[in-house]
Amino acid sequence: MAGRHEFVICDVFTNRQFSGNQLAVFLHAAGLEGEKMQALAREMHFSETTFIMSRRPSERGWPVRIFTPAREVPFAGHPSLGTGFVIWQEFLGRSADRVVLDLAVGSIPVEVVGNGERFVMTQAEPDFGDVIEPGRAAAILGIAEDDIDVRFPAQEVSTGLWFLIVPVRRLEPVQQVRICRSEYDRLCSEHRAKAVLAFCPETVEPENDFHVRVFCDYYDVPEDPATGSANGCLCAWLVRHEYSGKPEVRAICEQGFEIMRPSRLYLEGRRRGAGIEVKVGGGVVMTARGTVVELEH
């Protein structure tokens, strides 16, 4: 045999198995080359797969690499929470109250709330990019221009990965989104954002504050069930534009309902000096454990 690669699968941004966003975490990835990790990510074919590159942390944290089925990314939200959970459970014996990940974007702290009831990440300082006109945002989403909430800008935001944040007035148009691939590809070629988050203040479940959908064909993920990085960008956007009438946010977002993976993401954001502090949290549950066995040819 040429190799055995242990992994676990967990569901992130949920407290129930078989909902939320699936994540595969390879436990012992030291020595694996990028090409091999990309092949394993394609084989798992979840939104992202992560690789823990050492059994011990460095001074910057636990070294982790993140891959979509199409490419490596410097940061992603549900992989950060899910990998933090796996390190806490598999390497730290469920005894720590904080796990720091060393990602390509930098050190990302993941707090353990309660006895693992929720995991909360503090994201990098947000950057704000181009504003997209309402008609073009509507064309990307395949909805009417009148459905866009023009009181606020459709704008690029990044806390490590760029997203176009699009405010929509009502729930029904968000549920009816059908991405126009030619307009989406044009966005990706002309702007830093390679994925789109559409949201509205109407929700399926009344206890939630926002309904969210995220589309990421560029990363070979047509629709993501729960996107911590994108919701972190939304949180920063809500604070910057004072969407709720004040420069701080405490909100619950629902995502994944249209693709049968209901998820719940907890957002906290506030101004800190000249910047914006963004925290995104949620539950994580273990679903499966296995081994990829490579056979000699």
Side-chain angles (χ1 to χ4, degrees):
M1 292 186 181
R4 300 174 64 89
H5 308 295
E6 293 181 61
F7 66 89
V8 296
I9 294 173
C10 50
D11 294 328
V12 185
F13 292 121
T14 183
N15 291 311
R16 295 186 294 111
Q17 285 184 321
F18 317 125
S19 58
N21 204 347
Q22 299 156 295
L23 176 72
V25 181
F26 282 84
L27 300 175
H28 310 295
L32 282 183
E33 297 181 354
E35 184 178 351
K36 178 65 67 177
M37 287 186 274
Q38 185 66 75
L40 289 166
R42 280 196 302 270
E43 184 68 20
M44 304 309 292
H45 208 71
F46 295 149
S47 298
E48 283 97 4
T49 296
T50 65
F51 299 84
I52 301 172
M53 304 306 297
S54 172
R55 295 171 184 255
R56 292 191 177 126
S58 71
E59 61 182 14
R60 296 183 303 273
W62 293 81
V64 173
R65 294 176 69 177
I66 305 172
F67 288 78
T68 77
R71 64 193 76 237
E72 185 172 8
V73 293
F75 170 71
H78 96 275
S80 297
L81 286 191
T83 306
F85 163 81
V86 170
I87 291 170
W88 175 73
Q89 177 168 281
E90 300 292 318
F91 294 102
L92 299 176
R94 301 173 69 95
S95 62
D97 58 8
R98 190 170 185 259
V99 178
V100 179
L101 305 183
D102 179 15
L103 306 180
V105 76
S107 295
I108 299 294
V110 177
E111 302 168 42
V112 183
V113 178
N115 188 30
E117 295 172 4
R118 190 181 301 172
F119 292 78
V120 179
M121 77 187 105
T122 300
Q123 298 192 0
E125 182 72 25
D127 291 323
F128 294 86
D130 295 338
V131 170
I132 307 299
E133 58 270 22
R136 186 173 177 194
I140 293 168
L141 297 174
I143 61 178
E145 184 173 348
D146 288 348
D147 292 324
I148 303 297
D149 187 347
V150 297
R151 298 175 301 163
F152 303 96
Q155 185 175 22
E156 294 181 298
V157 186
S158 171
T159 60
L161 206 61
W162 286 94
F163 292 87
L164 176 64
I165 307 299
V166 182
V168 181
R169 294 190 298 114
R170 297 177 299 107
L171 178 62
E172 185 177 3
V174 177
Q175 293 175 319
Q176 293 175 346
V177 165
R178 295 293 182 270
I179 292 294
C180 173
R181 190 57 192 264
S182 61
E183 291 291 339
Y184 172 86
D185 289 345
R186 180 183 163 209
L187 172 78
C188 293
S189 67
E190 296 179 358
H191 298 273
R192 287 172 290 185
K194 308 296 187 240
V196 182
L197 179 151
F199 81 98
C200 69
E202 292 183 355
T203 57
V204 174
E205 296 181 342
E207 63 268 30
N208 300 326
D209 299 295
F210 298 107
H211 187 83
V212 170
R213 295 182 73 183
V214 177
F215 306 93
C216 333
D217 271 299
Y218 177 85
Y219 300 108
D220 201 18
V221 181
E223 181 168 0
D224 202 30
T227 319
S229 52
N231 278 272
C233 293
L234 171 61
C235 182
W237 183 97
L238 292 167
V239 171
R240 181 184 176 104
H241 298 295
E242 299 190 8
Y243 183 88
S244 300
K246 53 187 178 180
E248 60 181 331
V249 173
R250 290 180 67 91
I252 303 172
C253 292
E254 60 183 31
Q255 188 182 336
F257 282 70
E258 289 80 6
I259 54 174
M260 307 301 291
R261 300 286 305 189
S263 309
R264 181 176 289 181
L265 304 92
Y266 295 81
L267 310 187
E268 291 186 30
R270 59 188 55 83
R271 293 192 182 274
R272 292 288 192 199
I276 296 174
E277 180 185 74
V278 171
K279 294 187 176 185
V280 179
V284 185
V285 293
M286 182 77 78
T287 300
R289 183 185 299 270
T291 306
V292 173
V293 179
E294 293 185 73
L295 301 178
E296 293 181 349
H297 296 289

